Each structure stands twice: as structure tokens, then as C-alpha cells.
Amino acid sequence: MTEAGPPQSVSLTIDGTPVTVPAGTLVVEAAKTVDTDVPVYCYHPKLGPAGLCRICLVEIERLPKLQIACNTPVAEGMVVHTHGQKVEDGRRAVMEFLLLNHPLDCPICDKGGECDLQDFSMAYGQGASRLADAKASKPKALDLGPTIVLDDERCIVCQRCTRFDDIITRERSLVVKDRGQRDVIATASGEPYRSNFSGNVTELCPVGALTSKTYRFKSRPWDNHRTATTCTQCSVGCQLFVDERYGTIARTMSVPSDDAISDGWLCDRGRYNIGFYADARRITAPLLRRGEQYVQIGWDDAVEAWAAGLRDALGAAGPQAVGVLGGGRLLNEEIVLLVALMQELGVTNLDWRAGRQRQATPGRYAGTYAELEAAQLILAVGRPPSQTAPVLDLRIRKAVSQRGARYVTYGGHAAGSFVGVTPLRSADDVENVLSGVERVAVVWDGIDLELGARLASAIDGWVARGVSVTTYLSGEANNARGAEALGMVPRSGGLPFTGMLDAAQNGRLRSLSIFGANPVLHHPLGGASVANALERIPFLVVSELFLTETAQRAHLILPARTGFEKAGHVINLAGDVLPVHQAHAAPPGTLADGDMLVALAAELAAEVPGPEDVLARATAALPAATHGFGDAAYSEGVTASKSDGMAAGKPGGGGLRIAVGSDIFAGGGTIWFDETLAELRPDPAATLSPATAARLDVHIGDRLDLLSSSGDDSLQGLVVRIDAGAPDDVVAVIDGLPEAPANSFADGDNVVLGARRAADALEPALVLP
């Protein structure tokens, strides 16, 4: 006879209502099934129980004392009362203690109107304090880091912030220092609190202790107009709320119920990169080049000039003389219109690849975020998702720390995930870590197609052996998967963008239209080569927000809208078709790219799909993929990475290999034109391992130049940083920095040191901490 296992569900009664919930459910969660919200401060569903604040007291029959609902699991036959005199008295006593030293700051506190302490004080607090002594005084307006101000007098030590930093990010920077009424939230190191997810602690804080620098004293919640939309800063597709006040974007907030995509969190780029919307450098009228100057023109004249340029190119040399580059800023609907218009004109030279990423579709083994979390082994190849898709990286951290997954990387980049990671030195090592593994998730950056093809072959072999594999592609452009799926790729023998640049150099490309892309800063041919090619094109049109490195070469600049200023859909890296809702009125004089295309089609008398047809195509489910990573269809003859060379062996000539990495606050574009985030933008730096730094006799804060092995390309004035997690004989630099563009270097290139300046010989202001 087989013994019965533990019960799968438990039946109990809450406030007179029978409830059946899974075994192990906490009382605080069980109460939600009968629409009863037990008050909490320290408890949060994603952080688990802590039992610190005691405000969640409930009465459980047959137990002599009140119990905390956040740390009490349900039991069969349990009878719970969440209200009643005994419960109210208990919560009132807790509130009295919490308010003993709390300042009466409500009229000037940023949390006013959405403060749990304020709400529960009204429900359970007393009309007056019985404290005879003066309230304890603590520091106010402490600068905790680049994004947060701490008002320690308001802190009730719920420790949500420190537990988020411990349980969710695993960074363990925030701690509680001192004891009793003197305890204070601080960093363990005493350094400023820096994290790519720091903004989440301001949302988690149930009082006004942790406040956002960008929102401080800006608005009250009842003055904000809130819109739910999709973040378009990267390819994860996090859902967020945009709060606008009187025509200005005040803040963005996470969507706690967005479990399927963001898990309820936001990275700081998605949360804080909103200052550019109101930046004075925004282009708000079409600009036409006349000689060396730009003059403002009206939209009718701009569309007429654009159409004339296309007609001239088509008439002189046919459709092969026209090219289009559509960047990741485009929505699905705009991509549909752009592809349809070019097809109507016979143009086959289309591409979305303005940077290093060559492929966006993860192939036939594409997985969901939930499947990533469930993997036993997670393999990241190339650039780590910690910088290309930060919230995806939070799921990797969760899989490792909470579910026991193993995290391995290949490609010579530091993982930056704050969990245990195994860097692989050879592709053969992958087989060694697969022993006994049934579920594998593979995250690739889509850059090195040759490596991707070998990876795809290996994955097919794993699947044939019975291993369950899911694949993910975390790249540069937020809607790259949408662009690729909807046809923004070379058609019928058309040229990829690299081929268009070659055609421009040889005088064969007469018109190029670029939408939301900056290839001068990002394309792996290098800024000088790309700029030279663009300057040879007789008619270059750029749709942009700002005068970027690419826009400066244009003959016609069209002022565009982005992100929160337009509506449509995008496809995230997991293949979800997600809505983008307009949350902010765009500056007068600007147009969405889709509206520009409709106007151009009308001027050219070209037929494009109507609104209903466009919407149907833009929101259609993705067809099943038949290919894998590194498919030959994506090749365009450009080397953006040599990841195999990065992972193993020593560089030739005793020099260094360069690892061209990414940073969520790099990339130029909106982050470069957002002065509220100037402190978060990375400085041009050269990161070395301690052994490599010792071999080269360089130290933290020194400045050095890097030269390509040919000496043709260089990066100058890089600040030396030393990272114990960096691989030996590799120097890591950051891509996409306008002041030090690294796009002429490929991952794995041999480089040599040029001039070096010791830190003690530099001006103090030039030495970074």
C-alpha cells in the first residue's frame, strides 16, 4: 500500500468564507482570494515573508495570540479573522510604534497620496501621539546614489529595499547599519548605491524614505495622467506605466502584474530615460541642407523633396540605386508600411541591421521567459544579457539563486550577473557541462553568425539526444525581431546595409532613407568608413529625434516621434506582440514615421495598405521558424565579432584582444540627449583583469590609448579599470560611446597599447574613482 503524499490543497475559512488554496500558501495571500487585503509593509509577494513590521496581525481560532499573516502558512480547517476588535487593537499598537519617531512630513513628502503608512495611519492610527519625549532626529535628503535620495527619518526599517538587493538582484549593496532607533539604510561599502535596477527600491519603499531624484517634488499622484504601454528601450518588452503631468512626463512605474514579461521589475534605463523628450536639442522641423547649412522647411516641402530625390534615383539608375535602413525605433505598423511602399517602388535594398547584431530571430527552439527560468543550465554566448536585456538577466539570476540552475558563458565577456558563473574557454567545454542536464536555455547576442551556425548545429545534436532546449536572442535593437519578421530584410537579391555602403562608395547608390538608426556610431565597418560612404550618396534622408552622427550627413532630416509619443505594436525577443500606447503629446512639428510614409506614398501616387490591413499584418502571430542561429540567410560579409578567438588562447605578439561590450547607458541616442542621466552614462574605459594590468604595468585611473594591430584605428584616453572577473589578456571597452566610438574594432581583434599616462600625472578632475 502506497503512503499518501502531502496534501496538494488546503481548505480553511477566512472571515466566514470557505477557501481552498494550494498547500504552503501564506495567510496574507489566501486572504486575497476573498478580496481581503491584509495591511503589509515588509511583505512583498516577490520577496517572501520577513515578519518585521507586524502590521499584518490576524486572529486565528484556537491560537492564543494574534499571528502575522505574512509568515503563517495555511493549515487544514484553519479559521482566520482579518477584522475584529482584537485585530484592530493589535494593528493600532503596531502603528503607534511605527509613528513614534516618524516626522509629520506628509504635505511635502513625495509619497503623499500613495503612501501605505499614510493609509494605514488613517485606518489604525491614533489621533495624537502619547510620546512625551522629542522625536529622534535623523539625516534628511541623503544622496544615496545617482538616482536616489534617502530621507532616513521616514524609514520604518521594513527592509524591502535591502531584501530586493539581496534576493532579486543578488548585488547585496544595501544594508541596515547601526541598531535600534539609530539604524539607517546605507551601502555595505560606503560607496554610492549603483545598480541597473535601483529605481525598483523607490517603488518598493512603502513610505517616503527612498525617493527618486528625477521625480522628487515634481507631482502628486492625483495630478498625473497614467497610461500603460510597452517599454521600447530594449527587446525584453517590459510593461510600464507612464505618468504625465500637464504635458510633461513625470515618471514611469512598473506594472506589478506583468509576471509573464518583466516579473514586475524595471531596469533603470527603461525607468529613467525620459528626460530627452523635453530636451531643447530635439529636432522639431524638417531640415534641408543648403551648402554647409541646414534651413527649416515645411512638411509639404520636405515630403516633396523626399519624393523628388527618390524619383531622380529611380529614373537615373532604377530600384537598385535606392536603399532603406529601418532601425529598431520603428513600430510594426511602420515597418509594414515601409516594406509595402518599397515593394510598390520595386526597391529590394532593405535592412534593419545598423549595428553589430546580424540576426534577431531565435529560430525553431524559441522559448518563453518562464522556460528560461525553468532551465537547469543557461548558456550565454557573446555579449551578456546583463547589459543588452537587463530584466532578462534578472530571470537568469532568479533561475540560478532560487531554482539551482547553472550559468555558463562563452565569448570572453564578463557576465555581470552577481551570481555564480562558469566562463568557458573552448566550445568543446560546452559538452562537458551538459552531463545530466535535461533542460537547457541558450542566450545568444546575434553578432557572430559563424559561431551562431556552429551553436545551432550543436543544439540540434542536444535535442536529438533528448535534451529540451530553448533559445533566446538578446540584441541591440528593441524591435529587431519585428523588423526581421515583417520583411525589413533584403529581398530578391537586394543588398544588405553593408552592401548598400559598398554601393555608395562606388557611386551605385543614389538615394538612402534611414529611419531611427545611427550607423556612423554603431556599424562594425567603423564610423569613418560609414560616414565616408554616406557622404557619397547624392540624396540621404534621415528620420531622427536629434542631430546624431548619421543625421549630420543627411541632405534632408525629418523630425520623428518615438516611444511614448506614438501608438502601435512591437515584437519582443520572446516573440510576444505587444501594444505601444501613446502616453505623451509629441512636440509640434514632428511626425511618427508611419505618418511620414503615408505622406510620401501619397506624393509618389504609390499604393500602400490601409489601416485595417496594416494592423492585421502588424499583430499577426509569428510563423513557426524553420532555421536556427547563424542561418546563412543573415550573412552580409561583415565581421563584428570573433567570439571564438575571445574565449580561448593568447593574443598574437604578446598583446591584447579587445572585447567590445555594451552598457545599458551607452549607445548615444536618447541616453546621450538626456542630461538627467549624465551621471549614469559610462566613461570611456579599458577594463583589465588584475593579472593583465600587472603585466602591462598599468593601474586604476591611468589613461591609455589602444591601437589596432594595423595602427589604422585607435581609442584614446581610456581610463583604466580593474575587474577581478575579467578574463586575462583581454581589454574590455564599451561600444556606442560618441566620445570614444569603438565600432571599428571587432570582438577578438588583436590590439596594442599606445600612449599611457599615469593617474598621478593627470589633473585630479580626470581621474575617476
Side-chain angles (χ1 to χ4, degrees):
M1 182 175 177
T2 305
E3 289 187 13
Q8 299 300 307
S9 61
V10 172
S11 296
L12 69 157
T13 302
I14 300 177
D15 293 336
T17 303
V19 175
T20 299
V21 295
T25 301
L26 298 171
V27 170
V28 67
E29 291 297 326
K32 294 177 182 178
T33 65
V34 293
D35 295 327
T36 296
D37 284 326
V38 176
V40 293
Y41 289 127
C42 64
Y43 176 77
H44 186 277
K46 300 288 171 56
L47 302 178
L52 293 168
C53 72
R54 324 301 287 185
I55 193 64
C56 61
L57 291 171
V58 296
E59 183 180 4
I60 300 176
E61 291 186 6
R62 293 184 291 179
L63 292 181
K65 297 181 179 179
L66 297 176
Q67 303 296 309
I68 51 173
C70 76
N71 210 5
T72 303
V74 296
E76 186 66 32
M78 179 182 281
V79 179
V80 180
H81 302 284
T82 66
H83 299 287
Q85 192 60 48
K86 191 175 180 181
V87 172
E88 308 297 319
D89 289 344
R91 293 176 183 171
R92 187 173 295 109
V94 171
M95 281 301 305
E96 184 174 17
F97 277 111
L98 291 176
L99 293 172
L100 279 180
N101 289 312
H102 196 84
L104 297 176
D105 276 355
C106 294
I108 60 167
C109 178
D110 274 329
K111 203 73 172 183
E114 53 188 6
C115 174
D116 291 340
L117 191 71
Q118 200 174 44
D119 293 342
F120 299 154
S121 178
M122 293 294 294
Y124 307 110
Q126 300 181 143
S129 173
R130 293 187 292 169
L131 181 67
D133 300 321
K135 289 179 180 285
S137 178
K138 283 188 176 182
K140 298 183 75 67
L142 285 175
D143 193 335
L144 193 62
T147 63
I148 295 175
V149 173
L150 168 65
D151 193 317
D152 204 54
E153 282 187 341
R154 300 173 186 162
C155 180
I156 61 172
V157 203
C158 69
Q159 297 187 35
R160 278 189 179 185
C161 56
T162 60
R163 287 185 294 134
F164 171 81
D165 205 41
D166 176 29
I167 298 169
I168 305 300
T169 71
R170 308 292 294 175
E171 296 172 21
R172 296 170 178 166
S173 297
L174 292 178
V175 295
V176 179
K177 291 187 175 180
D178 222 319
R179 299 183 66 183
Q181 70 175 22
R182 295 183 298 277
D183 50 20
V184 59
I185 302 298
T187 57
S189 64
E191 297 295 321
Y193 175 46
R194 289 181 175 271
S195 168
N196 288 341
F197 307 98
S198 67
N200 292 286
V201 302
T202 64
E203 276 199 65
L204 286 170
C205 181
V207 295
L210 296 171
T211 56
S212 168
K213 287 183 178 180
T214 59
Y215 185 68
R216 191 170 167 85
F217 304 134
K218 294 291 176 62
S219 183
R220 288 296 193 194
W222 53 79
D223 287 331
N224 294 333
H225 178 266
R226 172 162 288 190
T227 304
T229 187
T230 299
C231 178
T232 57
Q233 291 289 347
C234 81
S235 57
V236 174
C238 299
Q239 300 301 287
L240 51 71
F241 293 120
V242 179
D243 286 351
E244 184 186 49
R245 181 178 187 265
Y246 304 145
T248 299
I249 298 175
R251 65 178 179 181
T252 62
M253 301 283 279
S254 66
V255 178
S257 60
D258 184 32
D259 292 332
I261 299 175
S262 69
D263 207 19
W265 311 118
L266 291 178
C267 76
D268 281 359
R269 169 101 188 222
R271 181 184 298 275
Y272 291 126
N273 187 201
I274 56 177
F276 73 91
Y277 284 99
D279 192 276
R281 292 167 288 182
R282 194 76 190 264
I283 301 171
T284 56
L287 302 175
L288 181 67
R289 181 184 291 277
R290 288 183 179 164
E292 296 299 316
Q293 302 294 325
Y294 283 109
V295 295
Q296 290 189 3
I297 60 175
W299 269 107
D300 289 345
D301 293 334
V303 174
E304 184 178 328
W306 190 5
L310 285 170
R311 288 195 193 97
D312 289 346
L314 292 167
Q320 67 270 21
V322 176
V324 174
L325 177 67
R329 190 189 70 215
L330 296 183
L331 302 178
N332 288 358
E333 287 82 352
E334 294 168 334
I335 296 166
V336 169
L337 283 168
L338 180 53
V339 171
L341 176 57
M342 291 303 111
Q343 188 170 0
E344 180 77 6
L345 298 177
V347 175
T348 59
N349 303 328
L350 292 87
D351 209 346
W352 60 268
R353 295 170 291 184
R356 295 177 186 270
Q357 185 182 355
R358 305 291 95 195
Q359 181 177 343
T361 305
R364 55 184 168 271
Y365 303 117
T368 65
Y369 295 135
E371 288 172 318
L372 174 70
E373 278 189 19
Q376 296 168 297
L377 176 73
I378 300 172
L379 169 64
V381 179
R383 292 180 175 181
S386 60
Q387 295 299 332
T388 57
V391 173
L392 181 74
D393 187 61
L394 279 188
R395 289 189 179 270
I396 294 176
R397 302 184 197 190
K398 183 178 179 180
V400 174
S401 63
Q402 299 181 31
R403 302 191 177 187
R406 185 178 182 186
Y407 188 27
V408 298
T409 61
Y410 180 72
H413 294 273
S417 296
F418 297 90
V419 291
V421 60
T422 304
L424 303 181
R425 303 292 292 176
S426 164
D428 296 333
D429 292 340
V430 177
E431 291 294 331
N432 298 332
V433 298
L434 279 174
S435 177
V437 173
E438 298 177 353
R439 299 184 305 278
V440 177
V442 182
V443 185
W444 179 45
D445 62 4
I447 293 178
D448 188 340
L449 285 176
E450 183 181 342
L451 175 61
R454 293 202 302 277
L455 185 60
S457 178
I459 291 172
D460 287 337
W462 303 342
V463 172
R465 299 204 308 258
V467 179
S468 174
V469 180
T470 53
T471 56
Y472 307 83
L473 210 154
S474 65
E476 302 166 328
N478 71 290
N479 198 25
R481 191 163 182 187
E484 204 165 86
L486 294 169
M488 197 64 208
V489 291
R491 296 184 300 107
S492 305
L495 298 173
F497 183 62
T498 301
M500 295 183 224
L501 292 174
D502 181 67
Q505 286 280 16
N506 295 302
R508 302 195 310 274
L509 193 73
R510 302 186 62 83
S511 173
L512 176 65
S513 299
I514 298 177
F515 297 84
N518 188 3
V520 174
L521 182 61
H522 297 292
H523 196 275
L525 286 181
S529 296
V530 174
N532 182 265
L534 295 181
E535 288 165 0
R536 291 174 178 266
I537 299 172
F539 193 65
L540 174 64
V541 181
V542 174
S543 160
E544 253 304 351
L545 309 176
F546 299 98
L547 202 60
T548 63
E549 293 83 354
T550 298
Q552 292 172 25
R553 272 80 186 177
H555 300 93
L556 176 64
I557 304 174
L558 305 175
R561 297 178 180 179
T562 190
F564 305 151
E565 297 172 341
K566 54 186 181 179
H569 294 82
V570 294
I571 301 175
N572 69 356
L573 65 87
D576 303 308
V577 179
L578 302 171
V580 175
H581 297 121
Q582 184 175 352
H584 174 61
T590 63
L591 283 181
D593 297 276
D595 293 331
M596 299 179 198
L597 292 168
V598 169
L600 177 63
E603 182 68 26
L604 292 170
E607 186 176 344
V608 293
E612 292 184 1
D613 191 9
V614 168
L615 180 62
R617 297 190 202 181
T619 57
L622 293 177
T626 57
H627 61 271
F629 287 160
D631 191 90
Y634 299 109
S635 178
E636 55 168 328
V638 59
T639 301
S641 174
K642 302 171 185 173
S643 295
D644 275 354
M646 284 296 305
K650 287 186 174 292
L656 294 167
R657 283 198 177 92
I658 192 169
V660 186
S662 53
D663 186 285
I664 69 167
F665 294 108
T670 59
I671 201 75
W672 187 252
F673 292 94
D674 188 343
E675 290 307 315
T676 64
L677 300 185
E679 193 176 350
L680 294 177
R681 292 198 291 259
D683 295 288
T687 302
L688 304 163
S689 70
T692 304
R695 176 171 69 83
L696 299 175
D697 192 26
V698 295
H699 307 87
I700 294 175
D702 291 354
R703 297 264 180 171
L704 56 81
D705 299 342
L706 291 178
L707 308 176
S708 63
S709 55
S710 65
D712 295 335
D713 298 301
S714 66
L715 288 170
Q716 300 180 351
L718 303 179
V719 178
V720 172
R721 288 180 175 151
I722 298 176
D723 182 356
D728 293 338
D729 302 314
V730 170
V731 55
V733 300
I734 298 173
D735 206 4
L737 296 179
E739 67 270 50
N743 54 325
S744 58
F745 293 87
D747 245 1
D749 275 353
N750 286 332
V751 294
V752 296
L753 258 61
R756 283 174 276 186
R757 279 85 66 198
D760 55 12
L762 297 170
E763 293 290 333
L766 296 180
V767 181
L768 296 179

